[in-house]
Amino acid sequence: MLLLKKIALNWEQESTWYQISLSVQKGDTVHIQGKNGVGKSTFLRVLAGLLPYSGTVSWCGIEQDLHAKDWRQDIFYLGDIPGSWYDKRVIDIIKHQKNIEAVRPEEYNITSLLDELGLQNLINKPWRMLSHGQKKKIMLAPCVEQKRSIWLLDEPYLGLDVHAMQWLTKYIKNHNAQGGIVLFSGQSAFGSTRQISLTREDV
């Protein structure tokens, strides 16, 4: 079980911005909802260990430091598309996402995923030449291969076509079936999920 107790953004100027307590069982998917600017992306960034925070997080009964390597190795985080990738090739992005040093594309065990998404011809294309939807698909593909227990996905369905939405939903359900947890924001093509809403009353 993932247990959050009074998780808050710990910036002095935002010290009372929000506090969130939440328990998530293995195999659950949680859809984070709320108006623009209320803090959905920030909440996911906090859980990804990218921002200072207060409160406690327990995973499988063990208290976690969200900035520690052990926690970061157990999560997959999808956030904004980095501007620094502008001149890189798709294969370089996949290497970065998977954090390995293989040279041949077949060593990534990812070409089948690219085939499913209709992106098999993009492996050596410059990142800047891809559409927003193609970039999002490439960024999502490694989450299936990395075998991380907790997926933190910020607007994963945004910019995807119907086929890619179906692909992502299938892998989220497979991840849940194996005991994995997913927290995501933005629009949903997932169907019935557990939902939490962030409002100014929460902050």
Side-chain angles (χ1 to χ4, degrees), residues 2-148:
L2 176 65
L3 182 62
L4 314 181
K5 291 185 178 180
K6 296 183 177 180
I7 292 296
L9 179 65
N10 193 23
W11 278 338
E12 183 176 351
Q13 65 270 33
E14 300 283 8
S15 59
T16 60
W17 195 36
Y18 62 72
Q19 286 191 345
I20 297 175
S21 296
L22 178 68
S23 62
V24 186
Q25 300 292 332
K26 289 186 175 182
D28 280 355
T29 286
V30 179
H31 184 193
I32 303 162
Q33 298 179 309
K35 294 180 179 179
N36 289 341
V38 79
K40 302 183 295 295
S41 296
T42 299
F43 174 53
L44 291 173
R45 285 175 60 82
V46 167
L47 291 183
L50 300 176
L51 294 171
Y53 73 99
S54 60
T56 60
V57 174
S58 296
W59 171 235
C60 297
I62 301 173
E63 187 169 329
Q64 303 292 318
D65 177 355
L66 298 185
H67 301 303
K69 183 178 180 181
D70 287 349
W71 170 254
R72 299 289 292 274
Q73 288 181 335
D74 217 13
I75 66 170
F76 176 87
Y77 170 69
L78 173 76
D80 294 332
I81 297 174
S84 61
W85 290 1
Y86 182 79
D87 288 321
K88 295 183 182 296
R89 298 175 305 154
V90 168
I91 189 62
D92 298 325
I93 300 305
I94 294 173
K95 286 176 66 174
H96 174 81
Q97 289 286 83
K98 291 176 68 62
N99 194 28
I100 58 176
E101 296 299 327
V103 175
R104 297 192 303 273
E106 58 268 24
E107 293 184 23
Y108 293 100
N109 192 25
I110 202 159
T111 51
S112 61
L113 291 176
L114 295 180
D115 287 345
E116 286 186 53
L117 293 171
L119 303 179
Q120 61 271 28
N121 296 323
L122 300 181
I123 197 73
N124 287 305
K125 268 203 169 185
W127 186 249
R128 65 181 182 275
M129 295 180 64
L130 273 59
S131 69
H132 179 84
Q134 289 172 331
K135 290 175 180 177
K136 182 66 72 68
K137 293 174 189 177
I138 296 295
M139 292 177 70
L140 283 165
C143 75
V144 179
E145 294 294 309
Q146 287 183 332
K147 309 302 181 185
R148 305 296 175 89

Side-chain angles (χ1 to χ4, degrees), residues 150-176:
I150 301 170
W151 295 358
L152 307 172
L153 309 179
D154 192 10
E155 298 195 357
Y157 288 102
L158 182 64
L160 298 185
D161 57 29
V162 172
H163 175 68
M165 285 183 175
Q166 293 171 343
W167 170 85
L168 176 58
T169 298
K170 178 183 73 172
Y171 278 106
I172 288 177
K173 289 181 177 180
N174 288 346
H175 186 58
N176 289 157

